[in-house]
Amino acid sequence: MDKALLRDAIVKQLTAELDTLTRAAFMAREEATSEESKAENKYDTRGQEAAYLAEGQARLALELQETVTTYQTLALADFPPGSAIDLGAVITLENRGKSSTYFLGPRSGGLEVEVAGEKLIVVTPQSPLGRQLPGRHVGDVVQLPGRGGAVPLRITAIA
């Protein structure tokens, strides 16, 4: 797995989300400052609601921009055989013959990306799965919470 391509895919997807969120924040700001949003009476809160929305979206956009910067500067270490999992690792987990691939990233857990035809899910060290991964090796078993109880997953590859 080419981690530079993986990082580029993550940054591209986050940047697209940032563009959408930024446009939405500007639209909400325009709505909040529009002459049409001026309160007609003391119970009319359209302008105030739009202002709150614009502020919240602007805050989210700032957080997303920080996330993009974090991924752009993320060191992508190699994990030779026998290495323990750490931030930046691509991990393959298997259960009952089905495998899934994860990237242990600093932010944006749950983000799904596709690189060279392979789907990966970003997990963070704060997630239930991500908390179990650092320090683990190939062959170790982690537990993924499931509806019918914990699902054991064997680590089959670390890159």
Side-chain angles (χ1 to χ4, degrees), residues 96-133:
R96 298 182 185 168
K98 293 183 180 179
S99 65
S100 49
T101 307
Y102 299 88
F103 176 72
L104 187 59
R107 293 176 133 182
S108 293
L111 184 72
E112 295 182 29
V113 294
E114 189 171 328
V115 179
E118 185 175 359
K119 291 183 181 181
L120 293 100
I121 299 172
V122 176
V123 294
T124 64
Q126 294 79 28
S127 69
L129 177 59
R131 279 193 297 269
Q132 300 175 60
L133 292 173

Side-chain angles (χ1 to χ4, degrees), residues 41-83:
N41 58 50
K42 68 180 184 177
Y43 301 108
D44 187 357
T45 60
R46 283 180 298 182
Q48 186 176 14
E49 290 169 5
Y52 288 147
L53 179 61
E55 180 183 349
Q57 288 174 324
R59 235 186 268 132
L60 286 174
L62 180 61
E63 288 177 21
L64 197 50
Q65 178 58 56
E66 290 171 0
T67 300
V68 168
T69 302
T70 298
Y71 273 102
Q72 288 172 331
T73 59
L74 179 65
L76 299 174
D78 288 327
F79 292 86
S83 294

